[in-house]
């Protein structure tokens, strides 16, 4: 991972959004153990950081990931975001509907 920025992102490029089953299989193929998490609508998580690389894959809705001192990146279904170890960040859902993510650590 390039540590000049606190994250690495791979955008979903296919015309159709992926299914949760496709995302789960994709993560397992990469050696990850995905856990599904609902993020309530119009919410912001506390700031957090982890000792390992956190991998977040958007499953439904749009999720903003805020990196204090760096900025905000928005992920959509199928986008894969790898957050460097010990990087402070929080998750934001601006719209009223909940969003779903899969997450794992490596």
């Amino acid at each position: 991972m390039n540590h000049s920025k606190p994250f690495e992102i791979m955008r979903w490029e296919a015309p159709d959004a992926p299914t949760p089953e496709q995302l789960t299989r994709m993560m397992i193929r990469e050696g990850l153990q995905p856990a599904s998490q609902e993020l309530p609508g119009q919410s912001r998580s506390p700031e957090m950081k982890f000792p390992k690389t956190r991998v977040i894959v958007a499953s439904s809705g749009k999720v903003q990931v805020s990196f204090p001192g760096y900025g905000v990146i928005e992920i959509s279904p199928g986008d894969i975001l790898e957050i460097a170890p010990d990087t402070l960040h929080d998750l934001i859902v601006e719209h009223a509907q909940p969003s779903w993510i899969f997450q794992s650590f490596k």
Side-chain angles (χ1 to χ4, degrees):
M1 183 183 307
N2 178 351
H3 289 289
S4 62
K5 57 185 176 184
F7 61 85
E8 200 69 42
I9 186 160
M10 286 132 304
R11 296 283 185 191
W12 180 261
E13 307 229 345
D16 296 326
T19 66
E21 295 76 20
Q22 285 175 303
L23 296 175
T24 299
R25 285 195 307 270
M26 177 183 71
M27 292 181 78
I28 290 171
R29 272 196 311 270
E30 294 295 319
L32 301 170
Q33 298 178 342
S36 177
Q37 180 180 354
E38 180 181 10
L39 304 174
Q42 297 179 327
S43 68
R44 183 177 199 136
S45 73
E47 288 185 335
M48 61 194 110
K49 63 181 176 177
F50 299 95
K52 295 182 175 183
T53 298
R54 184 182 191 191
V55 180
I56 298 174
V57 180
S59 177
S60 72
K62 293 188 183 296
V63 178
Q64 294 180 348
V65 184
S66 173
F67 299 94
Y70 187 85
V72 176
I73 187 159
E74 185 170 83
I75 58 174
S76 299
D79 292 347
I80 303 167
L81 184 66
E82 291 189 8
I83 301 171
D86 299 316
T87 300
L88 198 60
H89 63 283
D90 58 358
L91 306 177
I92 305 161
V93 177
E94 287 196 330
H95 45 78
Q97 298 78 25
S99 292
W100 284 86
I101 61 168
F102 288 106
Q103 68 173 348
S104 187
F105 295 91
K106 63 179 190 178

